[in-house]
Amino acid sequence: MAAPLTFQIQLTLTELLGRRARSAAELRDGIRSVPRSSIYYHTHRYLLQHVRESPEPPNDFAYWTTNSLGQHQLGESLASVNTVDFLGLEELRDRFVSILEAQPSSNDGVCVLSPEGLEFHFLACRIFVVPAGLTVCSLPEFRDALTRIPAESLYYHMFVPRFLGAGAPDDFSRWFAAQGRTDVAAALTKLDPYAMTVEGLRRKILDILDQHA
Amino acid sequence: MPKLQEYLPIIGESRLDQLFKIARPLEGRVVQNINSTAVGGGVAEILTRMIPLFRELGIDARWDVIRGNERFFAITKAMHNGLHGVPVELSASDFEFFVETGRANIEHVRPWGDIVFLHDPQPIALVEERGSDGRHWIWRCHIDFTAPQADIWEFLQGYIRRFDAAVFSAPAFSRPLPIRQVLIAPSIDPLSDKNRDLTESEISAVCNRFGLDRTRPIVSQISRFDFLKDPVGVIKAYKMAKKHVDCQLVLAGGGATDDPEGQKVLDEVRREAEGDSDIFVLFLPPASDLAINALQRASSVVLQKSLREGFGLTVAEALWKARPVIASAVGGIPLQITHKYSGILTHSIEGTAFWIKQLLNEPAYAAVLGQNGREHVRQNFLITRHIKDYILLFLSLERPGDVIEL
């Protein structure tokens, strides 16, 4: 019998780095040197701020490049980075840098600058992990808990392990694999959780559980 | 003051439970808040409402107020304006007087809390008293720091760098500093008179008092009479929209009557409004929270056409009432509104007029914006989130690391 799964909740405190960028080149230099928690923040922040709808591109770099610099093609390239393909923040950082490096630093000799007041501000975060007060031992218990846990808990188990080096893309697939339910684990691993809202993700996982009940 | 349990229907059991869980490791800690006024102004308002909630969570929150004479407060007001980017002149003797007053305050506001939490520049010189006794010191800046006047910034920086952390309300307020900087947005209290649910009869009573016709659309801007809120621009936008869609305009707000600039703005607004009986210019006295609440709720569209803005909490207030909001993309407003999703962001009088027409003609779309806005405020700008962020900050002072397990 595998160990029970204890649900946790992630809470975040946002930190300001006092660093800003006005051009794609400054954005690239910033991405190169900010702490890892800044890369994490700018690629995950939107998930918990818009748990039901996703009106923004999936990372702040893409949003700013598109909306403040007006560089739509570059913005689209940054938005297209598949965060789910990366198992570490350094690799993810390198990917953004390489896209920005491939970009000419000026357009016909003119460097595109953001308007005053619309600069990119580098932020970072500290993560707090708090017990959610729920522990499950079986698939039916898991299903029941999944309908009740807050978005911050679902988020924690599906997104945080990827960047804490837990050895699996998410906690749930690891737990199901340990339970001998490799079918459920495989179906969960196939999901791209970045391509939906946290509430959408909850519905998808419930569907998977129902299909493999 | 409301009890934490009263927030349960608004934030849900899980969020309320989280507050108790994260506060537990801080049980009994003394958090000594220090500011410069016990009544009036946003800082006093938020502390009045927060302190009892912290205590309910087991954190021993205290509140001390520094003393100062007329000259001291004239200097701090000038500093406030200078930090907002309004040019002011402060002499070396003014700075010296500011420091002396701070030192004199150490006699009766002795820093003794486990966490000493100073608000805004007025009490900042108290940090000179910081010793190696293990107390943590936080400085909370509640004001717009986007373009502070250089000499004032230089002066304050010498003090700010002696804190463990500085807290700002928006990313643009952050500056290069050798200490931790934390982003904590301000908040509204959904149970205050300004934001609590009102009955239809309460809303109608206020509208009747001001002679508003509730059978016709109401567009409003409820904000101080100040050039930076662009009330004249609001009237111009309304007039453009009114050519094609029927509506009334409410411009309501307060402002100091002894402020010559405030009176000038009000005079200009009245001149611009002359001859149109559908424009209601309402100069509200202090303690008009219920009237503000009712006017926002009676509005079909709420505007905040500021030219510059700090955080712009009036936007959160209107969004909380599920009103569609059209606001300028300045200061903290873009943090509250995602364009065409939870409201409308504009950059001009013409753009504002265009969107007034659109939203009055498409009430279903306007309602969706309002609902999305309300949810965004529920997630991000309520007092309970503000308290949560403060508790996380307090915890982070004692527990280093990017990931902290409680």
Side-chain angles (χ1 to χ4, degrees):
Chain A
M1 184 72 182
L5 175 69
T6 299
F7 285 93
Q8 311 275 4
I9 290 168
Q10 182 205 276
L11 301 176
T12 303
L13 180 67
T14 307
E15 308 235 338
L16 298 149
L17 298 178
R19 177 170 186 155
R20 55 189 78 180
R22 287 200 66 197
S23 65
E26 287 180 12
L27 180 69
R28 176 200 63 208
D29 293 345
I31 292 175
R32 263 198 196 119
S33 59
V34 291
R36 284 181 349 133
S37 65
S38 179
I39 305 296
Y40 174 76
Y41 179 85
H42 289 297
T43 51
H44 290 77
R45 169 197 69 85
Y46 75 101
L47 287 160
L48 276 180
Q49 284 186 357
H50 301 281
V51 294
R52 287 183 177 79
E53 304 284 343
S54 181
E56 297 177 42
N59 65 70
D60 290 340
F61 310 131
Y63 184 84
W64 180 77
T65 308
T66 306
N67 294 286
S68 297
L69 285 188
Q71 292 189 281
H72 294 266
Q73 198 175 342
L74 177 60
E76 195 171 286
S77 300
L78 293 168
S80 311
V81 170
N82 263 336
T83 313
V84 71
D85 292 342
F86 297 83
L87 275 173
L89 287 166
E90 289 306 330
E91 293 80 359
L92 187 57
R93 182 203 303 268
D94 291 346
R95 180 70 190 125
F96 286 119
V97 169
S98 70
I99 290 172
L100 286 158
E101 271 175 346
Q103 181 71 11
S105 60
S106 63
N107 189 2
D108 292 335
V110 179
C111 176
V112 180
L113 295 178
S114 67
E116 201 181 320
L118 293 179
E119 299 87 356
F120 185 88
H121 296 275
F122 285 97
L123 309 179
C125 64
R126 291 197 187 200
I127 294 171
F128 293 78
V129 185
V130 185
L134 269 174
T135 299
V136 297
C137 297
S138 64
L139 191 148
E141 283 178 15
F142 179 92
R143 195 195 183 288
D144 177 54
L146 190 62
T147 61
R148 294 189 283 131
I149 57 170
E152 293 89 342
S153 180
L154 176 55
Y155 172 89
Y156 172 79
H157 292 287
M158 288 301 288
F159 293 93
V160 176
R162 175 178 304 275
F163 293 114
L164 290 182
D170 68 87
D171 280 345
F172 295 159
S173 59
R174 193 171 41 161
W175 185 73
F176 277 108
Q179 293 273 327
R181 292 301 303 263
T182 48
D183 54 335
V184 180
L188 289 176
T189 314
K190 264 191 181 173
L191 287 175
D192 178 356
Y194 293 91
M196 59 192 94
T197 63
V198 173
E199 288 306 329
L201 179 60
R202 191 196 303 266
R203 288 192 296 275
K204 284 268 184 212
I205 299 175
L206 287 170
D207 284 348
I208 288 172
L209 296 177
D210 291 342
Q211 284 159 19
H212 294 84
Chain B
M1 286 297 152
K3 297 273 182 208
L4 276 167
Q5 198 62 25
E6 293 171 58
Y7 293 89
L8 178 67
I10 298 168
I11 62 170
E13 199 177 341
S14 161
R15 288 261 160 92
L16 192 60
D17 184 47
Q18 280 169 26
L19 286 180
F20 283 98
K21 279 183 179 149
I22 60 174
R24 203 165 296 142
L26 294 168
E27 199 171 341
R29 295 282 197 293
V30 176
V31 177
Q32 183 187 12
N33 293 275
I34 303 175
N35 79 325
S36 64
T37 175
V39 285
V43 179
E45 193 181 315
I46 195 74
L47 285 177
T48 303
R49 305 193 76 86
M50 270 189 179
I51 298 266
L53 299 177
F54 273 123
R55 288 191 180 158
E56 238 191 291
L57 290 165
I59 295 170
D60 188 359
R62 306 293 182 100
W63 181 8
D64 291 314
V65 178
I66 59 160
R67 297 173 192 165
N69 62 15
E70 210 175 309
R71 182 178 176 201
F72 175 73
F73 287 112
I75 293 167
T76 59
K77 185 174 181 197
M79 267 187 184
H80 182 273
N81 289 340
L83 291 171
H84 269 282
V86 180
V88 292
E89 267 190 41
L90 284 169
S91 64
S93 114
D94 289 333
F95 285 121
E96 206 172 298
F97 189 82
F98 175 88
V99 174
E100 277 167 17
T101 307
R103 285 177 187 149
N105 265 292
I106 290 168
E107 293 307 310
H108 76 277
V109 187
R110 182 152 290 284
W112 65 282
D114 298 304
I115 295 169
V116 183
F117 197 172
L118 306 191
H119 297 264
D120 280 341
Q122 296 92 334
I124 202 167
L126 289 176
V127 75
E128 285 190 352
E129 188 66 3
R130 179 173 192 170
S132 52
D133 49 13
R135 297 182 206 294
H136 295 290
W137 287 68
I138 304 170
W139 183 63
R140 178 26 151 162
C141 176
H142 293 268
I143 54 187
D144 180 352
F145 238 58
T146 312
Q149 188 169 305
D151 59 336
I152 301 175
W153 167 241
E154 276 305 310
F155 171 77
L156 289 178
Q157 203 191 149
Y159 290 100
I160 296 169
R161 56 177 61 228
R162 295 163 78 167
F163 287 81
D164 292 293
V167 182
F168 294 99
S169 296
F173 303 167
S174 142
R175 323 222 73 75
L177 280 169
I179 60 166
R180 280 179 64 206
Q181 299 180 63
V182 174
L183 175 66
I184 297 183
S187 61
I188 63 166
D189 187 341
L191 300 179
S192 67
D193 278 348
K194 209 189 271 185
N195 298 304
R196 70 172 172 82
D197 287 343
L198 295 181
T199 61
E200 269 306 304
S201 64
E202 283 176 304
I203 299 170
S204 291
V206 171
C207 290
N208 292 340
R209 176 148 64 94
F210 294 122
L212 290 161
D213 176 1
R214 288 203 73 196
T215 65
R216 295 167 56 219
I218 296 169
V219 176
S220 68
Q221 174 159 303
I222 296 162
S223 205
R224 213 170 56 240
F225 286 101
D226 181 325
F227 282 120
L228 295 179
K229 310 294 178 193
D230 199 17
V232 172
V234 167
I235 296 178
K236 287 180 175 162
Y238 151 84
K239 284 179 177 172
M240 284 179 192
K242 180 93 186 241
K243 286 181 190 163
H244 305 284
V245 59
D246 180 47
C247 58
Q248 305 160 87
L249 176 67
V250 174
L251 275 165
T257 44
D258 59 349
D259 172 4
E261 193 175 274
Q263 191 55 51
K264 206 170 140 196
V265 176
L266 196 54
D267 291 344
E268 205 174 310
V269 166
R270 286 189 170 133
R271 259 198 311 279
E272 189 73 29
E274 238 167 40
D276 187 334
S277 59
D278 279 339
I279 302 180
F280 298 80
V281 180
L282 311 175
F283 190 84
L284 300 174
S288 295
D289 286 355
L290 269 178
I292 290 170
N293 188 344
L295 289 170
Q296 284 174 328
R297 287 181 190 277
S299 301
S300 305
V301 173
V302 174
L303 307 179
Q304 189 60 56
K305 216 203 112 3
S306 304
L307 302 173
R308 282 201 63 184
E309 194 55 78
F311 193 79
L313 266 184
T314 50
V315 169
E317 286 166 11
L319 292 175
W320 178 244
K321 287 141 196 148
R323 299 296 87 199
V325 177
I326 303 171
S328 306
V330 296
I333 292 175
L335 299 175
Q336 301 172 67
I337 290 180
T338 300
H339 185 51
K340 296 205 263 188
Y341 170 72
S342 52
I344 298 295
L345 293 175
T346 58
H347 305 267
S348 64
I349 291 172
E350 291 77 10
T352 305
F354 169 78
W355 279 106
I356 291 173
K357 283 186 296 182
Q358 296 288 110
L359 297 189
L360 290 181
N361 285 328
E362 294 294 340
Y365 175 58
V368 170
L369 294 180
Q371 275 307 329
N372 288 346
R374 180 175 164 89
E375 284 314 306
H376 188 56
V377 172
R378 191 196 305 276
Q379 296 287 333
N380 299 292
F381 299 113
L382 296 185
I383 189 171
T384 41
R385 188 279 311 153
H386 203 164
I387 288 173
K388 179 201 77 182
D389 282 352
Y390 278 156
I391 294 174
L392 295 181
L393 170 60
F394 302 156
L395 286 167
S396 73
L397 296 171
E398 297 181 356
R399 299 168 186 230
D402 285 344
V403 181
I404 299 163
E405 298 206 19
L406 297 178

